[in-house]
Amino acid sequence: MALLLPLLAAMVVCICGSVSSLGCNLPHNSVMLSRRTLDLLDQMRRVSPFLCLKDRRDFRLPREMVDGVQLQKAQAMSVSQLVLQQTLQLFSTDHASAAWDETLLLQLRSELFQHVEALQPCLVQATGGDRSAEDPSLALRRYFRRIHLYLKEKKYSDCAWEIVRSEIMRAFS
């Protein structure tokens, strides 16, 4: 899980620093939006993580994205947007609606959607419309696919959702 820290650094640099130099109109409160996202994920805890230790899983965040490889600005933005989109998709399923408090879930979806929307123009500007400059995305999609398969394998149990919620929190924190 220590591998998530460099990804976060890339996301923070991308969203908070280098994006503004591109002339993008990201909200100045994007850091607050991130904090709000973490707060919502924390509030969503329904099961003690200690009760779910047997269900832990290493979802293997792609090493090539975070293991000392310096992402270009366009790649960092692409990775950030993909993480946000995939997280939004994960928490937008019917199974998620059944597992979480609906009010908190709607607030989380709204926060994630705001992040995705705010990053989109900056991604287009950074890549100049060239989507080929942004790939380590296949490995990241596989990472989220492993999360989806894990939930399905565990029949969307409360513990499975708690493990996934914790994983996503680590990815954002």
Side-chain angles (χ1 to χ4, degrees), residues 138-165:
L138 181 59
L140 189 56
R141 288 180 196 280
R142 287 182 181 146
Y143 165 75
F144 275 96
R145 181 74 184 142
R146 286 189 292 274
I147 291 174
H148 283 280
L149 290 173
Y150 167 79
L151 284 167
K152 185 176 180 179
E153 171 191 318
K154 295 291 185 174
K155 297 182 169 99
Y156 304 94
S157 71
D158 287 346
C159 273
W161 275 112
E162 178 56 31
I163 297 299
V164 168
R165 184 198 65 80

Short mmCIF file of all heavy atoms in Angstrom, two decimals, residues 138-165:
data_model
loop_
_atom_site.label_atom_id
_atom_site.label_comp_id
_atom_site.label_asym_id
_atom_site.label_seq_id
_atom_site.Cartn_x
_atom_site.Cartn_y
_atom_site.Cartn_z
N LEU A 138 -4.28 1.44 -19.05
CA LEU A 138 -4.69 0.05 -19.13
C LEU A 138 -4.41 -0.67 -17.81
O LEU A 138 -5.27 -1.40 -17.30
CB LEU A 138 -4.00 -0.66 -20.29
CG LEU A 138 -4.38 -2.13 -20.48
CD1 LEU A 138 -5.89 -2.27 -20.74
CD2 LEU A 138 -3.59 -2.73 -21.62
N ALA A 139 -3.24 -0.46 -17.25
CA ALA A 139 -2.90 -1.09 -15.97
C ALA A 139 -3.82 -0.60 -14.85
O ALA A 139 -4.22 -1.38 -13.99
CB ALA A 139 -1.44 -0.81 -15.62
N LEU A 140 -4.17 0.66 -14.90
CA LEU A 140 -5.07 1.20 -13.88
C LEU A 140 -6.48 0.63 -14.04
O LEU A 140 -7.15 0.31 -13.05
CB LEU A 140 -5.10 2.73 -13.97
CG LEU A 140 -5.82 3.45 -12.85
CD1 LEU A 140 -5.25 3.07 -11.49
CD2 LEU A 140 -5.72 4.95 -13.05
N ARG A 141 -6.91 0.47 -15.27
CA ARG A 141 -8.23 -0.15 -15.51
C ARG A 141 -8.25 -1.59 -14.99
O ARG A 141 -9.24 -2.05 -14.43
CB ARG A 141 -8.58 -0.11 -16.99
CG ARG A 141 -8.93 1.27 -17.48
CD ARG A 141 -9.29 1.25 -18.96
NE ARG A 141 -9.27 2.57 -19.51
CZ ARG A 141 -10.26 3.47 -19.38
NH1 ARG A 141 -11.32 3.15 -18.71
NH2 ARG A 141 -10.15 4.67 -19.92
N ARG A 142 -7.14 -2.30 -15.16
CA ARG A 142 -7.05 -3.67 -14.63
C ARG A 142 -7.12 -3.68 -13.11
O ARG A 142 -7.73 -4.57 -12.51
CB ARG A 142 -5.77 -4.33 -15.11
CG ARG A 142 -5.81 -4.69 -16.57
CD ARG A 142 -4.55 -5.38 -17.00
NE ARG A 142 -4.60 -5.69 -18.41
CZ ARG A 142 -3.56 -5.69 -19.21
NH1 ARG A 142 -2.36 -5.39 -18.74
NH2 ARG A 142 -3.70 -5.98 -20.48
N TYR A 143 -6.49 -2.69 -12.48
CA TYR A 143 -6.55 -2.55 -11.03
C TYR A 143 -8.00 -2.42 -10.57
O TYR A 143 -8.44 -3.13 -9.66
CB TYR A 143 -5.71 -1.32 -10.62
CG TYR A 143 -5.93 -0.81 -9.23
CD1 TYR A 143 -5.39 -1.49 -8.13
CD2 TYR A 143 -6.63 0.36 -9.00
CE1 TYR A 143 -5.57 -1.00 -6.85
CE2 TYR A 143 -6.81 0.85 -7.73
CZ TYR A 143 -6.28 0.17 -6.65
OH TYR A 143 -6.45 0.66 -5.39
N PHE A 144 -8.75 -1.53 -11.21
CA PHE A 144 -10.15 -1.37 -10.82
C PHE A 144 -10.98 -2.59 -11.19
O PHE A 144 -11.93 -2.93 -10.49
CB PHE A 144 -10.73 -0.08 -11.41
CG PHE A 144 -10.44 1.11 -10.56
CD1 PHE A 144 -9.37 1.94 -10.84
CD2 PHE A 144 -11.24 1.41 -9.46
CE1 PHE A 144 -9.09 3.03 -10.04
CE2 PHE A 144 -10.97 2.50 -8.65
CZ PHE A 144 -9.89 3.32 -8.94
N ARG A 145 -10.61 -3.28 -12.24
CA ARG A 145 -11.30 -4.51 -12.61
C ARG A 145 -11.12 -5.56 -11.51
O ARG A 145 -12.05 -6.28 -11.17
CB ARG A 145 -10.78 -5.03 -13.96
CG ARG A 145 -11.45 -6.28 -14.43
CD ARG A 145 -12.84 -5.98 -14.93
NE ARG A 145 -13.49 -7.21 -15.30
CZ ARG A 145 -14.75 -7.48 -15.08
NH1 ARG A 145 -15.54 -6.57 -14.55
NH2 ARG A 145 -15.26 -8.63 -15.41
N ARG A 146 -9.90 -5.63 -10.95
CA ARG A 146 -9.66 -6.57 -9.84
C ARG A 146 -10.55 -6.22 -8.65
O ARG A 146 -11.06 -7.11 -7.96
CB ARG A 146 -8.18 -6.56 -9.44
CG ARG A 146 -7.28 -7.28 -10.43
CD ARG A 146 -5.87 -7.44 -9.90
NE ARG A 146 -5.15 -6.20 -9.79
CZ ARG A 146 -4.45 -5.63 -10.76
NH1 ARG A 146 -4.40 -6.20 -11.95
NH2 ARG A 146 -3.80 -4.50 -10.55
N ILE A 147 -10.75 -4.94 -8.40
CA ILE A 147 -11.63 -4.52 -7.31
C ILE A 147 -13.07 -4.96 -7.59
O ILE A 147 -13.73 -5.52 -6.72
CB ILE A 147 -11.55 -2.99 -7.09
CG1 ILE A 147 -10.17 -2.63 -6.52
CG2 ILE A 147 -12.66 -2.51 -6.17
CD1 ILE A 147 -9.90 -1.15 -6.39
N HIS A 148 -13.54 -4.74 -8.81
CA HIS A 148 -14.90 -5.17 -9.18
C HIS A 148 -15.06 -6.68 -9.04
O HIS A 148 -16.08 -7.17 -8.52
CB HIS A 148 -15.24 -4.74 -10.61
CG HIS A 148 -15.58 -3.29 -10.75
ND1 HIS A 148 -16.83 -2.79 -10.45
CD2 HIS A 148 -14.85 -2.23 -11.16
CE1 HIS A 148 -16.84 -1.49 -10.65
NE2 HIS A 148 -15.66 -1.13 -11.09
N LEU A 149 -14.07 -7.44 -9.52
CA LEU A 149 -14.15 -8.90 -9.44
C LEU A 149 -14.12 -9.38 -7.99
O LEU A 149 -14.81 -10.34 -7.63
CB LEU A 149 -13.01 -9.53 -10.24
CG LEU A 149 -13.13 -9.39 -11.75
CD1 LEU A 149 -11.86 -9.92 -12.44
CD2 LEU A 149 -14.37 -10.10 -12.28
N TYR A 150 -13.34 -8.71 -7.16
CA TYR A 150 -13.29 -9.04 -5.74
C TYR A 150 -14.66 -8.86 -5.10
O TYR A 150 -15.15 -9.74 -4.37
CB TYR A 150 -12.25 -8.16 -5.04
CG TYR A 150 -12.32 -8.20 -3.54
CD1 TYR A 150 -11.79 -9.26 -2.82
CD2 TYR A 150 -12.94 -7.17 -2.82
CE1 TYR A 150 -11.86 -9.30 -1.44
CE2 TYR A 150 -13.01 -7.20 -1.45
CZ TYR A 150 -12.47 -8.27 -0.76
OH TYR A 150 -12.55 -8.30 0.61
N LEU A 151 -15.31 -7.74 -5.37
CA LEU A 151 -16.64 -7.50 -4.81
C LEU A 151 -17.62 -8.58 -5.27
O LEU A 151 -18.41 -9.10 -4.47
CB LEU A 151 -17.15 -6.12 -5.23
CG LEU A 151 -16.54 -4.94 -4.49
CD1 LEU A 151 -16.87 -3.64 -5.20
CD2 LEU A 151 -17.01 -4.91 -3.04
N LYS A 152 -17.55 -8.92 -6.54
CA LYS A 152 -18.44 -9.96 -7.07
C LYS A 152 -18.16 -11.31 -6.41
O LYS A 152 -19.08 -12.02 -6.01
CB LYS A 152 -18.27 -10.05 -8.59
CG LYS A 152 -19.23 -10.99 -9.25
CD LYS A 152 -19.07 -10.96 -10.76
CE LYS A 152 -20.04 -11.92 -11.42
NZ LYS A 152 -19.92 -11.88 -12.88
N GLU A 153 -16.87 -11.63 -6.29
CA GLU A 153 -16.47 -12.90 -5.66
C GLU A 153 -16.98 -12.98 -4.22
O GLU A 153 -17.41 -14.04 -3.76
CB GLU A 153 -14.94 -12.99 -5.69
CG GLU A 153 -14.34 -14.12 -4.89
CD GLU A 153 -12.83 -13.98 -4.77
OE1 GLU A 153 -12.19 -13.62 -5.77
OE2 GLU A 153 -12.31 -14.20 -3.66
N LYS A 154 -16.93 -11.88 -3.53
CA LYS A 154 -17.36 -11.82 -2.12
C LYS A 154 -18.86 -11.53 -2.00
O LYS A 154 -19.36 -11.29 -0.91
CB LYS A 154 -16.57 -10.75 -1.37
CG LYS A 154 -15.09 -11.05 -1.25
CD LYS A 154 -14.88 -12.23 -0.32
CE LYS A 154 -13.40 -12.47 -0.08
NZ LYS A 154 -13.19 -13.51 0.92
N LYS A 155 -19.56 -11.55 -3.12
CA LYS A 155 -21.01 -11.32 -3.18
C LYS A 155 -21.40 -9.99 -2.54
O LYS A 155 -22.42 -9.89 -1.87
CB LYS A 155 -21.75 -12.49 -2.54
CG LYS A 155 -21.52 -13.79 -3.28
CD LYS A 155 -22.29 -14.92 -2.65
CE LYS A 155 -22.25 -16.11 -3.56
NZ LYS A 155 -21.34 -17.14 -3.30
N TYR A 156 -20.55 -9.00 -2.75
CA TYR A 156 -20.83 -7.63 -2.31
C TYR A 156 -21.15 -7.57 -0.81
O TYR A 156 -21.99 -6.78 -0.37
CB TYR A 156 -21.96 -7.01 -3.14
CG TYR A 156 -21.66 -7.05 -4.62
CD1 TYR A 156 -22.11 -8.10 -5.42
CD2 TYR A 156 -20.89 -6.05 -5.21
CE1 TYR A 156 -21.81 -8.15 -6.77
CE2 TYR A 156 -20.59 -6.09 -6.56
CZ TYR A 156 -21.04 -7.14 -7.33
OH TYR A 156 -20.73 -7.19 -8.66
N SER A 157 -20.44 -8.38 -0.05
CA SER A 157 -20.66 -8.42 1.40
C SER A 157 -20.24 -7.11 2.05
O SER A 157 -19.49 -6.30 1.47
CB SER A 157 -19.87 -9.57 2.02
OG SER A 157 -18.48 -9.28 1.99
N ASP A 158 -20.70 -6.90 3.27
CA ASP A 158 -20.33 -5.69 4.01
C ASP A 158 -18.82 -5.61 4.18
O ASP A 158 -18.23 -4.54 4.03
CB ASP A 158 -21.01 -5.65 5.38
CG ASP A 158 -22.50 -5.36 5.29
OD1 ASP A 158 -22.96 -4.91 4.21
OD2 ASP A 158 -23.20 -5.57 6.30
N CYS A 159 -18.18 -6.73 4.49
CA CYS A 159 -16.73 -6.73 4.65
C CYS A 159 -16.01 -6.44 3.33
O CYS A 159 -15.01 -5.72 3.31
CB CYS A 159 -16.23 -8.05 5.24
SG CYS A 159 -16.26 -8.07 7.05
N ALA A 160 -16.51 -6.98 2.25
CA ALA A 160 -15.89 -6.70 0.95
C ALA A 160 -15.96 -5.21 0.64
O ALA A 160 -14.98 -4.61 0.21
CB ALA A 160 -16.57 -7.51 -0.15
N TRP A 161 -17.12 -4.61 0.87
CA TRP A 161 -17.24 -3.18 0.64
C TRP A 161 -16.34 -2.38 1.58
O TRP A 161 -15.79 -1.36 1.19
CB TRP A 161 -18.70 -2.72 0.78
CG TRP A 161 -19.48 -2.89 -0.47
CD1 TRP A 161 -20.50 -3.76 -0.69
CD2 TRP A 161 -19.32 -2.16 -1.70
NE1 TRP A 161 -20.98 -3.63 -1.98
CE2 TRP A 161 -20.28 -2.66 -2.61
CE3 TRP A 161 -18.46 -1.15 -2.11
CZ2 TRP A 161 -20.39 -2.17 -3.91
CZ3 TRP A 161 -18.58 -0.67 -3.41
CH2 TRP A 161 -19.53 -1.17 -4.29
N GLU A 162 -16.18 -2.86 2.81
CA GLU A 162 -15.31 -2.15 3.75
C GLU A 162 -13.86 -2.21 3.28
O GLU A 162 -13.14 -1.22 3.34
CB GLU A 162 -15.44 -2.75 5.16
CG GLU A 162 -14.52 -2.12 6.18
CD GLU A 162 -14.68 -0.61 6.31
OE1 GLU A 162 -15.78 -0.07 6.10
OE2 GLU A 162 -13.67 0.07 6.63
N ILE A 163 -13.43 -3.36 2.79
CA ILE A 163 -12.06 -3.49 2.26
C ILE A 163 -11.88 -2.54 1.08
O ILE A 163 -10.86 -1.84 0.98
CB ILE A 163 -11.77 -4.95 1.86
CG1 ILE A 163 -11.82 -5.88 3.07
CG2 ILE A 163 -10.46 -5.07 1.10
CD1 ILE A 163 -10.82 -5.57 4.17
N VAL A 164 -12.84 -2.49 0.19
CA VAL A 164 -12.76 -1.61 -0.99
C VAL A 164 -12.80 -0.14 -0.56
O VAL A 164 -12.03 0.67 -1.07
CB VAL A 164 -13.89 -1.95 -1.99
CG1 VAL A 164 -14.00 -0.89 -3.07
CG2 VAL A 164 -13.63 -3.31 -2.60
N ARG A 165 -13.67 0.19 0.37
CA ARG A 165 -13.74 1.57 0.86
C ARG A 165 -12.39 1.99 1.43
O ARG A 165 -11.88 3.07 1.15
CB ARG A 165 -14.83 1.70 1.94
CG ARG A 165 -15.04 3.14 2.42
CD ARG A 165 -15.78 3.17 3.75
NE ARG A 165 -15.02 2.56 4.84
CZ ARG A 165 -14.04 3.18 5.51
NH1 ARG A 165 -13.71 4.42 5.22
NH2 ARG A 165 -13.39 2.56 6.46
#
